[in-house]
Each structure stands twice: as C-alpha cells, then as structure tokens.
Amino acid sequence: MHSLRSWAARTFIGAGMVGLLGATSQVLAADYDGSPQVAEFIEEMTRDYGFAGEQLVSLFAEVERKQAILDAISRPAEKVKPWKEYRPIFITDKRIAQGVAFWKQNQAALEKAEAEYGVPAQFIVAIIGVETFYGSNTGNWRVMDALSTLAFDYPPRAPFFRKELREFLMLTREEQVDPISLKGSYAGAMGLPQFMPSSFRAYAVDFDGDGHINIWSNPTDAIGSVASYFKRHGWQAGGQVASRVEVSGERVEEGMTQGLDPVKNVAELRELGWTSQDALAEDVPVTAFRLEGAAGDEYWFGLPNFYTITRYNRSVMYAMAVNQLAELLVEARGN
C-alpha cells in the first residue's frame, strides 16, 4: 500500500464548516469545480462524520471524472454465456499452476485462516484466482476517481456509489492512507479479493497484525479477509459445496430454484425427481440448478457453502467456477 503521507494529519484535524458550501465552488478545480452534489457530499461528511471540510475540498480538486468508466458501466450487458463457455475462462492450466504457486507461497497464512475461520485454503486461493489472477490484475483506476465519477455522474446507481465513496473515505481515515493513492476496478472494487469499500470496512482483517489492513499488496491480509467474509456469510467448516444430481420424471422443472436463495430441501426435491449422487441430509436447503455443459445439461445441488460463495458474487456460474477451480487446485497440488 502506498505511503501514509500526511493524509490523516492534513485531512481530519477539524470540521471547519464556516462558509464551506460557498468556498467549495471557489476552491474545487478541474472536473468537480462548482459541483453542488460534491458540495452537499462534503457538507455531509463534515457534519456527520467529522471530516475536515476544507481538506475534502482540496481532495476533490485532485479527483478526475472518467468518461471511460461511465461508458463501461453504461454498456448493454453481454448475453450471459452458457457454462460450457464460461467455465474455460476461469478454469485454465495457467490459473491452476499459478494458484498452486500462490498456495505454496502463502501456506502459513492459509493454514491460519482455515484454523480461525474454517475455510479451506483451496477456496480462498480460488476466490483470489478468479477475482484478480492472484493479484496480477487488481485494477488501475484510482478508486477516488471511480467512485466519485459513479456517485456524481451516474444517476442510475448514484446512491449506491455515494455510499461506497463515503465508506472509502472512512476506511482511508481508519487506515491512515492517502485516498488518491489507492487503485482498483472501474467500479471501485479493491485489492487481491476485490472488496468494495463497505465490504472492506465490514469484513477485512489485519491478519498479519501489523496495525493496518492492506488487501492491495499484502496477501496475508487478503487471505484473512476472504476467510472472514466467508465465515460472516455462513460458511460451514467441513461442509460440501455442490453435489451432482440425476433427474427423472415430469416434475423436474418444478424443482428448479428461481434466483439463488434455497427454498426447497433435499427431501422435497427428491419428490420432484432430483436425486443427489452424494449422501445428503434430508433437511438440507439447496439451490437446484441446471448448467449447459460441454457434454450436455448438468443438474446440481448448491449446498449451504455454495450459497455462501454466491454472497461474494451473485452468480451460480461464478460459484461453480470457484468450486471447481478449488477442486483442481487440490488435485494439482497433490501431484
């Protein structure tokens, strides 16, 4: 993580609200000069959260509106790829090999994470592998630019990104790091695990005990933070993630889960023609889904730990990619 500079000292020494709104339009330069939205936001941060108003004005003078971010987030969504096309994006020999290397390099931290949170190493490594290729692609946008652009110039999701901008400023104060120095994705996701600021403040941990949480360049903190996130979202130590299913009869479609939240259990789905290849407790709630695989349709039960993975990214295929990458990492590491 970049130097602490004097951000904490220069930014959080007082509220200084006298004439702030008037001063904002005079002092702000570049892309947010005279922005009433930014002035209102600064007033909120000084009034409600104890930030120094004049220092926030100076900070926003350095912020740049990024049209490329607005273009990217406004593009029509691509057609969702079928599983047979989605899987090869994330399940590759290179990603497996580099995952094994990452595992070996960070074995102590991964063992500690499993001991403290109950999350096996392969799932933590798989998340970081899918999100950022083990830290090689964490994003090159200044987080301050990304969140400001989306908070003030993207009305469809402005409230969400304004909240994330607020969380970001609070985390930089807590970690005593200059907000201009931190980089991430065009949507403001940060570090090896791609946490949004609100997730950082809620779940990230100082796993190496050095007094700071650094998920940008400290794999130990990133590992602990992923494990913390999983544990807080219901990960069951020792639990299976997904189970292959055979289907039969005329009521199979009735069993298909709409969305991600499990609404039926194993016993109820068996009555509809879904039979797991594994011995599962009758009362386990599952997400029942079908994937278009390379060899035809695949039917699966997503178990409680599968649902936990979807809390990280609300996608059945994402969770399956993480699960299968994790399995292959274990296999490769054993060779």
Side-chain angles (χ1 to χ4, degrees):
M1 193 150 50
H2 290 273
S3 70
L4 306 182
R5 273 214 267 169
S6 53
W7 169 241
R10 70 184 173 88
T11 306
F12 304 115
I13 55 176
M17 277 300 298
V18 178
L20 175 61
L21 291 179
T24 301
S25 61
Q26 297 172 13
V27 178
L28 277 177
D31 297 326
Y32 288 106
D33 183 18
S35 167
Q37 291 186 85
V38 174
E40 179 185 12
F41 179 77
I42 291 174
E43 181 180 20
E44 174 193 349
M45 297 305 292
T46 57
R47 180 190 65 238
D48 298 341
Y49 301 100
F51 283 72
E54 49 283 321
Q55 302 298 339
L56 286 179
V57 169
S58 297
L59 172 62
F60 276 103
E62 299 182 58
V63 173
E64 298 175 0
R65 178 186 184 276
K66 297 295 185 181
Q67 184 60 42
I69 288 176
L70 296 172
D71 294 342
I73 204 166
S74 301
R75 279 191 205 106
E78 293 183 8
K79 181 182 176 182
V80 177
K81 296 179 186 296
W83 175 240
K84 62 185 178 183
E85 296 177 16
Y86 183 96
R87 185 182 186 275
I89 296 172
F90 298 102
I91 311 295
T92 65
D93 290 344
K94 185 176 181 181
R95 203 178 300 260
I96 294 166
Q98 292 198 17
V100 170
F102 181 88
W103 190 338
K104 289 178 179 177
Q105 291 162 5
N106 298 282
Q107 184 167 339
L110 288 161
E111 289 176 353
K112 179 185 175 186
E114 182 165 5
E116 291 193 16
Y117 297 104
V119 184
Q122 63 266 29
F123 292 100
I124 300 171
V125 176
I127 283 284
I128 294 173
V130 167
E131 288 291 337
T132 62
F133 216 112
Y134 314 106
S136 65
N137 183 23
T138 58
N140 292 314
W141 298 98
R142 294 194 312 188
V143 177
M144 195 68 201
D145 291 341
L147 293 176
S148 297
T149 296
L150 294 170
F152 303 126
D153 289 295
Y154 185 61
R157 298 196 66 194
F160 170 79
F161 286 109
R162 180 167 169 152
K163 180 199 76 171
E164 292 297 335
L165 179 59
R166 181 175 68 244
E167 296 281 336
F168 178 67
L169 289 175
M170 287 193 282
L171 83 82
T172 60
R173 174 169 65 181
E174 291 158 359
E175 296 304 316
Q176 299 185 9
V177 61
D178 190 336
I180 290 294
S181 72
L182 299 179
K183 293 186 177 180
S185 76
Y186 75 83
M190 308 177 299
L192 277 73
Q194 291 291 277
F195 275 14
M196 291 298 289
S198 58
S199 291
F200 182 105
R201 294 191 70 233
Y203 309 112
V205 295
D206 172 19
F207 208 49
D208 66 357
D210 69 353
H212 293 283
I213 303 173
N214 175 5
I215 61 172
W216 287 265
S217 58
N218 184 335
T220 298
D221 283 359
I223 286 164
S225 296
V226 171
S228 166
Y229 187 101
F230 271 25
K231 178 67 174 178
R232 295 276 295 279
H233 285 82
W235 183 269
Q236 298 178 2
Q240 194 175 342
V241 173
S243 176
R244 191 72 181 263
V245 176
E246 300 293 337
V247 297
S248 62
E250 299 179 354
R251 303 185 66 191
V252 170
E253 292 296 321
E254 293 180 43
M256 206 81 69
T257 303
Q258 303 300 313
L260 295 170
D261 293 1
V263 294
K264 292 183 175 65
N265 62 29
V266 170
E268 292 169 327
L269 283 156
R270 185 183 297 112
E271 292 296 316
L272 298 175
W274 295 65
T275 305
S276 172
Q277 297 179 353
D278 301 303
L280 302 175
E282 299 278 277
D283 60 350
V284 173
V286 296
T287 301
F289 57 94
R290 176 179 57 223
L291 295 175
E292 185 183 339
D297 286 346
E298 304 173 8
Y299 291 83
W300 292 87
F301 282 162
L303 303 171
N305 283 346
F306 181 90
Y307 183 72
T308 293
I309 298 174
T310 68
R311 300 304 85 192
Y312 208 98
N313 183 310
R314 294 185 63 83
S315 163
V316 162
M317 287 193 288
Y318 175 91
M320 281 299 287
V322 168
N323 182 48
Q324 293 193 3
L325 178 57
E327 292 173 345
L328 291 167
L329 287 167
V330 171
E331 182 181 316
R333 190 167 180 268
N335 292 339

